[in-house]
Amino acid sequence: MIAKISNGKDTAGLIRYLFDTKKAKDHTDPHLVASWDGFAPDPGRTDDFTATKRLLVADLDLRVKQARRLGRAPERHVWHCSLRAATTDRHLSDEEWADIARRVVAATGIAPQDDPDGCRWVAVRHAPDHIHIAATKIRGDLRPARHWNDYLTADRELATIEKEYGLFQVARGDHTAAKRPTRAEQEKAHRQGQERPARERLRTIVRTAVAVTTSTDEFIRLLSHTDGVLVEVVYFPSGDVRGYKIASEDTTTAGRQPIWFSGSELAPDLSFPKIRARLEATDSQPANRPSRHRPNPWHQATTAAERIPHHLTGHDDRASQAHLAAFGEALDALPLLAPTPIRAQLREAASAFERATRSRVQAEHHHARALRSAARAMLREPTPTDATALAMLLDAAILVTVAATRWHQLHHHDQQVTATQQALLHLQAAYNEAAGAPLTALVQHRPPQQAVNRYMRHIRRALPEHAEQVLSDPAVDALTAALAEAEALGHNPERLLKQAVDQRALDDARSPARTLTWRTQRLSAQPAPSARGAQDLSAVRADRTPQPSTPAHEASAVSPPRPPQARKR
């Protein structure tokens, strides 16, 4: 059940709206279900609607007029609260709605239980699934009502009501969610033919800018050069940057100023001080480092992401929150790097996970330097995105999202749990699309059966707890092909498998063989502890099939001819 609370200054206007059946087509049979004393005049149950409505307004405003003579009445003296049940809930009776209304006005301080001086209020039902509570905020002793934090107190009471009445239990937030677009913003976007309101589009632009930059100067410069965006920097008297405001050019109409949003109005973590804290916790990559000595940033990002589930099982909540925020930034950057077919899924995943990057836990961003640095290095990599590396990263991202769901569940972050579950669906769809081609190409190089049998024995010895699950996985052919390539490069297959399973749990993997495949390929890309790592892999693949003159007991995927230089010596 959801509550919406607002304040106004026109009692008559609100009552007129609540009982209107002409302009508001969804208002059917409006009538009172409860009131402050149980005897308020009901315009919906009388033949003379106008006169009864006038009486009701006069009764509600009586104390307001008295307080006004004493100079105590606030200008916005009307309190309005709508309560709506979920579409899946049963239709509550008038008596049940009356009980709910009384509990809400008591919990919020409008009319505390057993307080004879509580404010005057009425509950109007004009549709099956919701009611409206209208009250005037002057007590019987002519003092203003004490209703601070009324939304929070109403929400807590509604959570109890949902359980008692067997209603759908709404995922409740911790007030760290980004502000939703107003109805006016949504309607304006619709008129302009935009898919999303300006507030949401600007939020995505700012989050992407944070994900790709390494300093506040670069962040401001990138925003200023983004098409369709207006940026205004706010300075302290000292000349230091205080903050920024951003607007979309399409919000500027003839003769009107653009509609500006500060960073904090877009999302709580997009204020300039919070962005600066995140960027200062990012290591910069050496620009002059030779490319042949530069580590693969995709592998670095995957390695950093694979550590996140371990961090989330620890006791340092601030570090955990920092890793989730950094992972969210990596998701924001991925659509810029991914191939066209999966960009939409990745955008949806990033948009959904955005809610999971914030909670009441304050992040200590220095804990997540590695992932942030690797994500930015990926964006600066001059070579095209490697399909295998992308599949590896998405495979790791899925397990991070599963771990994030559990972490938020333990902390009772209901909205964040919903967000991670939505992000997971989009990440799985993107992964299935991205992993198809690399796995198919790998399976084409499946080693001979004799070598496969040997790799299966390695699997049983290296990971006895998961061996049967791995061997029955349809992706086991890809794993054996990856092990053959690794062995051809000089790696020990069994040692490699142990490394893979030690650094990453398989319990949450939908396909443990695929997970081990990506891990094996990434580990085998590192220098092998053997001179055999210098062998030509293409020659290895060409020579995998045993020649007729080769004895069967010597035929193996890991017995290629020695390199030409070795034969000369």
Side-chain angles (χ1 to χ4, degrees):
M1 190 171 289
I2 298 175
K4 290 185 179 180
I5 298 175
S6 60
N7 298 278
K9 54 184 177 181
D10 185 4
T11 308
L14 176 57
I15 296 300
R16 182 169 55 251
Y17 163 75
L18 296 180
F19 284 92
D20 174 56
T21 58
K22 295 179 181 179
K23 293 182 180 179
K25 301 300 182 182
D26 60 336
H27 292 190
T28 59
D29 188 26
H31 60 281
L32 296 184
V33 295
S35 65
W36 73 94
D37 62 357
F39 299 102
D42 186 355
R45 293 292 185 266
T46 182
D47 295 333
D48 192 344
F49 171 79
T50 303
T52 308
K53 183 195 73 174
R54 192 179 299 117
L55 286 173
L56 177 60
V57 172
D59 286 350
L60 288 170
D61 275 345
L62 176 62
R63 293 171 177 173
V64 177
K65 292 179 180 179
Q66 293 171 343
R68 191 166 288 156
R69 296 191 192 102
L70 301 175
R72 297 179 181 176
E75 181 182 3
R76 303 180 69 82
H77 62 271
V78 179
W79 188 82
H80 177 206
C81 175
S82 64
L83 303 173
R84 184 179 295 273
T87 56
T88 55
D89 286 337
R90 61 183 176 84
H91 285 177
L92 301 173
S93 66
D94 282 358
E95 290 74 19
E96 290 173 316
W97 276 120
D99 175 59
I100 292 171
R102 292 188 190 98
R103 293 174 64 169
V104 169
V105 294
T108 56
I110 293 296
Q113 190 175 5
D114 299 327
D115 184 355
D117 287 329
C119 299
R120 294 191 168 191
W121 61 273
V122 292
V124 180
R125 182 180 190 180
H126 56 210
D129 62 345
H130 70 279
I131 62 170
H132 292 260
I133 302 174
T136 47
K137 300 189 292 184
I138 298 296
R139 293 169 44 83
D141 53 14
L142 301 187
R143 290 185 299 146
R146 299 173 62 90
H147 63 100
W148 294 294
N149 291 326
D150 49 9
Y151 176 79
L152 290 176
T153 53
D155 200 49
R156 283 197 290 266
E157 185 64 26
L158 290 177
T160 303
I161 290 171
E162 289 168 353
K163 294 178 182 178
E164 292 181 6
Y165 278 81
L167 305 176
F168 174 77
Q169 296 183 26
V170 175
R172 289 182 155 78
D174 53 8
H175 300 279
T176 60
K179 186 177 180 179
R180 294 181 179 180
T182 64
R183 183 174 179 179
E185 292 173 352
Q186 293 174 339
E187 290 177 350
K188 184 172 184 178
H190 180 71
R191 290 195 303 270
Q192 294 176 339
Q194 299 284 352
E195 292 184 4
R196 297 187 299 163
R199 184 191 298 269
E200 291 186 347
R201 287 183 281 122
L202 292 172
R203 185 185 303 136
T204 300
I205 290 172
V206 173
R207 286 185 61 84
T208 305
V210 174
V212 303
T213 54
T214 57
S215 67
T216 53
D217 290 340
E218 186 182 2
F219 167 73
I220 295 294
R221 187 167 57 252
L222 180 60
L223 284 185
S224 301
H225 290 83
T226 303
D227 293 338
V229 171
L230 303 174
V231 179
E232 183 177 311
V233 182
V234 183
Y235 295 93
F236 286 110
S238 63
D240 296 330
V241 177
R242 178 181 181 180
Y244 70 97
K245 294 190 294 184
I246 187 170
S248 177
E249 287 184 347
D250 57 32
T251 62
T252 306
T253 55
R256 296 185 179 180
Q257 294 295 320
I259 300 175
W260 294 96
F261 298 92
S262 66
S264 58
E265 288 176 324
L266 296 177
D269 60 339
L270 294 183
S271 66
F272 189 76
K274 292 188 177 180
I275 288 175
R276 180 170 53 202
R278 290 156 69 180
L279 294 179
E280 288 176 351
T282 303
D283 291 328
S284 58
Q285 297 286 335
N288 56 353
R289 191 172 184 177
S291 59
R292 66 179 179 275
H293 299 305
R294 193 181 305 146
N296 187 320
W298 287 85
H299 290 181
Q300 285 184 304
T302 304
T303 301
E306 286 183 336
R307 296 193 187 107
I308 294 178
H310 171 72
H311 293 302
L312 295 182
T313 59
H315 301 289
D316 190 341
D317 286 345
R318 291 189 173 189
S320 298
Q321 186 64 62
H323 285 289
L324 292 178
F327 179 68
E329 290 179 24
L331 291 184
D332 289 331
L334 269 184
L336 303 176
L337 301 164
T340 303
I342 65 172
R343 284 178 187 168
Q345 291 288 0
L346 291 177
R347 288 193 194 100
E348 292 296 330
S351 178
F353 197 84
E354 180 262 347
R355 180 65 191 95
T357 60
R358 291 186 303 275
S359 70
R360 286 291 181 184
V361 178
Q362 184 177 355
E364 291 182 347
H365 293 293
H366 64 275
H367 288 285
R369 289 178 183 270
L371 180 56
R372 279 197 174 88
S373 301
R376 285 156 177 79
M378 285 160 48
L379 292 159
R380 288 164 170 74
E381 188 70 21
T383 56
T385 302
D386 178 28
T388 300
L390 175 61
M392 289 181 190
L393 182 54
L394 291 178
D395 183 55
I398 288 172
L399 288 195
V400 173
T401 308
V402 172
T405 302
R406 292 177 177 170
W407 188 80
H408 283 303
Q409 284 174 334
L410 289 173
H411 290 75
H412 306 289
H413 299 159
D414 295 340
Q415 289 186 354
Q416 289 88 334
V417 169
T418 302
T420 56
Q421 291 170 342
Q422 292 173 347
L424 181 61
L425 296 176
H426 295 293
L427 285 174
Q428 288 173 339
Y431 171 77
N432 291 336
E433 178 74 23
L439 287 173
T440 301
L442 194 58
V443 171
Q444 290 176 352
H445 299 288
R446 181 177 180 271
Q449 188 59 44
Q450 184 177 354
V452 169
N453 294 338
R454 183 164 54 82
Y455 293 134
M456 288 183 175
R457 291 194 294 272
H458 286 315
I459 291 172
R460 286 192 172 92
R461 287 196 296 266
L463 32 141
E465 294 182 2
H466 302 281
E468 295 308 318
Q469 186 182 4
V470 171
L471 294 176
S472 61
D473 193 323
V476 69
D477 287 345
L479 175 58
T480 56
L483 289 171
E485 289 190 354
E487 192 170 19
L489 290 169
H491 292 276
N492 182 298
E494 193 166 324
R495 186 182 301 122
L496 212 59
L497 285 167
K498 289 180 179 178
Q499 278 184 270
V501 78
D502 286 345
Q503 295 183 20
R504 178 170 187 171
L506 297 177
D507 297 333
D508 294 328
R510 293 189 303 163
S511 172
R514 282 190 297 184
T515 296
L516 289 171
T517 298
W518 304 131
R519 166 67 70 169
T520 299
Q521 286 200 306
R522 194 167 68 258
L523 290 174
S524 65
Q526 301 172 4
S530 165
R532 303 181 71 180
Q535 296 181 54
D536 182 2
L537 183 58
S538 61
V540 170
R541 287 176 172 172
D543 291 332
R544 273 195 184 138
T545 304
Q547 300 299 320
S549 59
T550 304
H553 67 278
E554 296 179 4
S556 164
V558 293
S559 301
R562 289 182 298 169
Q565 293 181 353
R567 285 200 298 267
K568 288 180 181 179
R569 288 196 295 268

